[in-house]
Structure formats: C-alpha cells, structure tokens
Amino acid sequence: MIDLVSLRPLGWLAVVALLALAMRYSLVDRPRLWHWSAFGLRIVAIVLLVLALCQPFLGDESQDLHAIFLVDVSQSVDLAHLPAAVEQVDQWTKSLGAGDSWSLFAVGKGVREFESVDGLREMVKKWQSGLADDEFRSATRLAEAMLSTRAAFPAGKARRFVLATDGQETDGELDRVLEQIAREGADALFYRLPGLSDAEAAVVGVESSSREAFFGEVMRFTVKLAANGPIKAKLRLVHKGVAVQQRDVELQAGDAQSLHFDVDMTTAGASVWTAELAPEQDRFAVNNQSSCTVTVRGRPRVLALHQQPRQLRPLSRALAEQEMELEVRGEHGLPESLEEIAAFDAVVLADLPATSLSPRQMQMLKQYVVDFGGGLVMLGSENSFGLGGYYKTPVEEVLPLVSRFEKEKEKPSLAMVLVIDKSGSMEGMPIELARQAAKSAVELLSPRDSIAVVGFDSDAQVICEMTSAGDRETVQAAIDSLLAGGGTYMYPAMVAAKEMLEATPAKIRHMICLSDGHTQPADHESLVEEMAESGVTVSMVALGDADKQLMASLAELGRGRYYETDDPANVPQIFTKETMQASKSAIKEDLYGSVRTGDHPALSGYEDAELPFTLGYVMTEAKATAQLLLAVETGDPLLAIGRYGLGTGLAYTSDLTEKWGGEWLAWDGCGKFWAQMIRGVLRHNATDGMEIVEREAADRWNIDLRRIDAAGAPLGGIHWDASAMEAGGLGQAIDVQETGLGRYQAAVPLEGRAHVSLRLRDVDHDKMAILHWHRPYPNEYRLSQAPPQALAALRPADSHGVADELRPVERRQSIAQYAYFAALACMLGSILLRRL
C-alpha cells in the first residue's frame, strides 16, 4: 500500500492542462503516433515528479526486533551470580534472528554500555578478582537507565527492554517510566536475578508511636528487621551514645520482623533515637542502623555552658525545684549541629568566652534564635559580653545588650600596641581578619586611650604611630594599609612597640602580639622581662603553625594572657576580648541594688518585691529595640530582654554564682524568679491545629499539612514561613503551597543532605512546628523489599529467547527516489521520440 506524506504538491498537476492546450496548437511536423507518444511520456514524467514531491512511501509490517538488555550489577546482586546472568544474555543474543539487533548495558548508579557480551564478562571477572567498583554498584537506578538508553532503539523495528535484575529498584519512579515507554511503543520483560547468598541482616527502619510525647510518657519504638537466612544478633536502642535497651534476636528469612522497645521519655526536647543491629554474620555494615527523632514536651530543657560547671550547681538545684531541667556543660559543651541545639528550649552562656565557640557555632546560635524560636540567655562574668570577645559577633546580634560603652573618667587610661605578623603565610583570609580584629580593638577604646600598630615580616614596619583612640578614622585607615609578604622576624617589631609604650604617660600599657609562624632567633625573653619590670604587659596570640611554646612563655613572662587557635576566624574575638581585659574598665564590683525599670510579663508578681543586691556586673549598653527590666542605681543595665526573629534574647550583666550572685542564691525566691525569667524566653513549638503527614519520594521530603481552628474548621489563605536547615546551619527557604481549603503542601529537596530540620510557622496565628529528617542508608542495602509491583507485573523473560510475542511494527520505506528515476526515464524517452 502506497501512502503520501504530503498532498500539497498535487497542485502542480495543473501543468498537465497547460501542456494539453499547447499540444493542440503545436506546429510540429512529426508522425502522429510519435508525436502523441512523446507528449504522453512528458505527461507521465510530470506526474511522477509531482508524486515524488509528495514523498510517497510503501508501508508494510516488520517482525524484526531491537532488544536492549539492562543487567543489574548492583550490590544487592551477588557477584557469584553475575556470570550466570552474563551467559544468559549471551544465549539471548545468539537466539535473535538475522534481522534483529541488540544493545547491552550494565546498570548500577548509572549505566555502562558494552559493544559485546565479552566486555561485560570481563568486567564481572575483574570485580570477582577483588577490584569491584563499589561506587557504581551502590545503587540500582533502573528507571533512569531505561530513560537514558531508549535512544538506542532504531526506527522500523520492534522495541523491547529485557530487565535482568533482582528487582531492588533504589531510585526513580519505575512505574511511571514503564508507562512512558509503553506509550512510545516499547515493552519490557523481567528476568529476576537471585539476590545475596552471603548471610545478611538489616534494620529496615525504626518508628516511634508518636512524633511528640509528654515528659514521663512511655514511648513505643518499633524496629523492623530483615535477613536472608537464620542469623543471631543483638539489637540495641541507643540514645546519646548510650544503649538504653538491648535484646537478643534470632532472625529468619522472609518478611520483615518487628520488635518493640518501650521507653520512658525523660529527656526534654528533640532527641535522636537509633536502632543498632549487631549480627553474628553479616555482609554489609551500612544497613545495621536507623534513626528517628522524638520531641518531648513538658519540663523545659535548658542548656547552660560554664567554664567551671560546678559553679552552677546552686542555680541548677533551684531551677529543678521549679520543674525546669538545667543541663550544665563545660566550655566545649555546645553541640556541633543545629538539630542538637534545637533539642533545647533555651541556651544559657554563663561563663563562656567567644574563643570557646567556633564562628560556625556562633552562627548556629543566631539561627537557633532567629529561625527556630529558641531562647538565648547571657549571664555576666569576665568571659561575657565584650569581655568575653562577643563584640560584633552573631551572638551579640540576638542579645538585647551590646558591649560598647563610654569609659568612666576615673578609670585609668590605656596605651596599647598591636604587633601583627604580616609575613607571606598571612596572605589572604588571615591578614584580612587581622585587620578586622585590629579595627574592632580600636572601636572598644575610649578617646582617653591611645593605640599604635606595628607590622612585621623580615623587618618591622610602623603601620600607625601612637594615636588617640578618639581619632578612630585615622587609625583604621592606617590599619587598611597592612599587607602580607616576606619572612617572619618578630623581635624588631616588639622593640619598636616597647619604645612607643615607654614613651607614653598612660597608666596601663599593654602589647598584643599575633603570629602564625616561627620567628628568627633572638633574645625575646629578656626583652619581655624588661617590659614587665617597667610595667608593660604582653599578651600573645598563636595562630596555626606559630611557635606556640615560645609565645606561651613570653605571655607568662609578660604577665599577660596566651591565646591559641588554628582558625583565623577566631582572631577578631580574641582581640576584642583581650582589649576589654586590658582596659580594666568593663567590670564594676561593689554592692548594687536592683531597680525595676520596665513592665514585662516576666516580672509579673515582682512589682513591689525587694530584689536581692548584686556584688558586681559587666558594663554594657541597651539596644534601641531592647526592653530594660532591671538596672543598678547608676542606671547601667542589669537585666534586659528583646525579640529577635522567632526567638528571644535575655541578658543579665551580673552572674548567678557565689562570685557576684551570692545574695541572689541565698534568697528564697531565687529559683522561682529565674525560672520565670527563663520561661519567658523558651521556644514555643505550638502545633495545635496542625496535622502533618510526611512522605519521601525521588529525593524529596514532601510535607502535607492540614490547618484547622479550635472548632475543627479548615483555615485557608494562611501565610507560612518555612525554612529547612542542615546540621551545619545552612538554611533554605521552602515554599508552602495551598492545595485546597485548609490543606497545604511543601517539598524539601534532599539531594546531598544527611540531616535536615524543617521549621514550619503559621505567621497569621503564631503556630510553629519543627520536623526532623535523617537520611537512611541507601535502598540498595534493604533486604525486605519485594520487586516493585510494576516490575513484578511484567511478563517474565524466557530463558531460551526474548523475541516471542512481538507486536508487528509498521515499517515505512520511501519510494520517492524510484519516482524521480522513472520521471527522468520518461523525459529522456520523450526527447528521443521527438528527435527520431
């Protein structure tokens, strides 16, 4: 049967009528038979040319096949079984007909094409010899493989996928892809490969009976286990690195087995619970644990950080009587992940210098307050506010008090010289942060103070002569000229600084030296001893590969302080802390009364109460947005509160230890008062009226929300503020779409992430929920999975051949070229007849 692609060229047949008219009036004197024969050939030639322009083709049915063999070589398929799979593919290729063709691909985390079966055979042998590509074999992306390889199908042949796999699809939407290839005219056969033969056990998952629990509630954790044979194992439920419960289990092949752990919830806040399996025989360790997060409500959970945790025992006991749990840790006790910090309702920095926190931890504390609604409390001490190095840090941004203040006139003046290493090793970020640190030091000095800056490489260079700190712009402009380059020789710079300090009449004379390398030999010790005898103090900051032993000994000889850090980002905090310490003007110690200065719910019940005296405090200034609650008689801030983002910051410039807070601790109302204060900053994770369902698909965390009011009626048109945070503190705004009346949906991308915390806030009604997600181990190692229903429903591949039951394919063969040749022949015939 002949079909035409286009009918538009048929209009050219009108030329035939014109030729007929010309023929009628032709004056050619030729025999009539030859004359009409030549004319007829010309007519046929024109018709054939028009027909060729219509692109004619001859259609028929073809039984030829092109088969694409996709062989699963992932970890869930035992290497010992792969040679048999390769031989089966070889048998299939040999059983194909003469007009058939095929393509061969290995499937894992991607696809690899092979020109011959021998190529796949050699790769399997290589893997069996101990050179297996574990990265390629770590997943089974079957759906992705079908989409990427279908371009290998040629036209005019039946299309068929042969899927040789154990059915453990780990990524992609196989059912959707199978429907797509069916619409494209291809089908698929399923040849099931055997799974692991080695003993293997796995934790399929762990689930809690509820995402949230009240304090003291018994929570049931259901752990699902799977094995491919009889295996004995120990199963542990782990919390904070401690096995809370443990039991012996005997696993059997087949469907997943479920075991339960019932645990009293006595740890307030969000906490991670992990099921760990220790089998006697096992192939993969990666699938032996799984985690979930439970948020416990009830008694507030507060984290307090102090360099000497024992100092907070009296406060901890007082708060415990008020049903408030205060977990006291040392200076390095702040968690390293945002999720762990978010497990607490508030964080108290009692006696913790900024140098004990990394820049990332300080940024996470800010996010904890602003984005997660947490409470942050800072208590006064020699390591708090500016004295602790918090000037211009993310932590200070979420506190109601700042470190800048005017020095009192009776305080002694300070002359300070900054001696800064500007050798080649300081190039880039270190020298930039050193300049920033020097500028911060200038900002903390009063106009009665003076400062100089000396840089050194192989030689000393006076960056800024001794200048009044009131001339801040001049000093900071000079600091900007500090550039890195050259060797390291600190001694001449220290001599220059010594001469400047000895020439100044200031009561307090101080030198800060920063270096990141080993200086050339010199008698540094004698120089520092001379300075100490003349009343000059010397502090040392050792950065990175500095000569730490030398610098520590010089700080001791110079009656100053020694700092050590590997991170240049800590240098600004060290300089601000050291500047405040050297100034000796940020602390006031005496007997001070507490004067109420503001009205706030946190002070409810204490309107007429006589509050205890304090024995000292750190001088600060209140921010314009802060609410000052208590002050000392001089007007200096004592207690202030402020709202920052979703959370609250509270600052108390005195302390709650025996040093300055003995009167408070001896007061009978201490626990009640401070419990009320801390409750005023606790995070409110109100989820009433929010029904949440979580689903995970295609590396996306899908959240379905239903929002109702107190009467159960749906709430539409809500303004949502949603943000996803990783463990390291990186945040991403998440869009929440309204899908129906009172129904909303959000999707969080999970690619490349291990842990994600999602904050969902109903801005209109001040409701908030925090959800947590932990990446499970790769699906490749899940033993309990049966083949997907879409895969199991496919027709099984016959071991003898794969070309049976084909649907005939219509094959189109163009015949336009034959029409062109026939037209040419007719034209030549017409010319020949006219010439004879």
Side-chain angles (χ1 to χ4, degrees), residues 417-418 422 451-456 459-467 478-479 481-482 492-493 495-497 499-500:
V417 180
L418 305 179
K422 67 181 194 72
I451 186 170
V453 181
V454 179
F456 68 90
D459 299 302
Q461 178 187 355
V462 177
I463 305 298
C464 178
E465 295 283 356
M466 191 66 71
T467 307
I479 291 172
S481 68
L482 191 65
V495 171
E499 292 173 352
M500 289 185 192

Side-chain angles (χ1 to χ4, degrees), residues 313-323 665 670-672 675:
R313 284 182 179 177
L315 177 63
S316 182
R317 287 193 294 267
L319 293 177
E321 293 175 358
Q322 303 299 317
E323 297 297 314
L665 294 174
C670 176
K672 182 179 179 181

Side-chain angles (χ1 to χ4, degrees), residues 357-397:
L357 300 175
S358 67
R360 188 174 70 89
Q361 286 178 310
M362 284 196 279
Q363 186 62 37
M364 284 195 296
L365 276 175
K366 178 184 175 181
Q367 287 183 298
Y368 166 71
V369 175
V370 174
D371 296 323
F372 280 73
L376 181 64
V377 181
M378 181 171 283
L379 305 181
S381 73
E382 292 185 355
N383 291 304
S384 301
F385 304 105
L387 278 173
Y390 287 99
Y391 180 59
K392 284 191 173 180
T393 63
V395 170
E396 190 183 63
E397 292 179 27

Side-chain angles (χ1 to χ4, degrees), residues 510-512 528 532 536-540 551-563 578 581-582:
H510 187 61
M511 180 192 303
I512 305 176
V528 173
V536 176
T537 53
V538 180
S539 291
M540 292 283 170
M551 299 184 76
S553 65
L554 293 180
E556 184 177 357
L557 290 172
R559 301 170 189 172
R561 287 158 292 276
Y562 171 69
Y563 302 89
E578 181 62 17
Q581 293 279 359

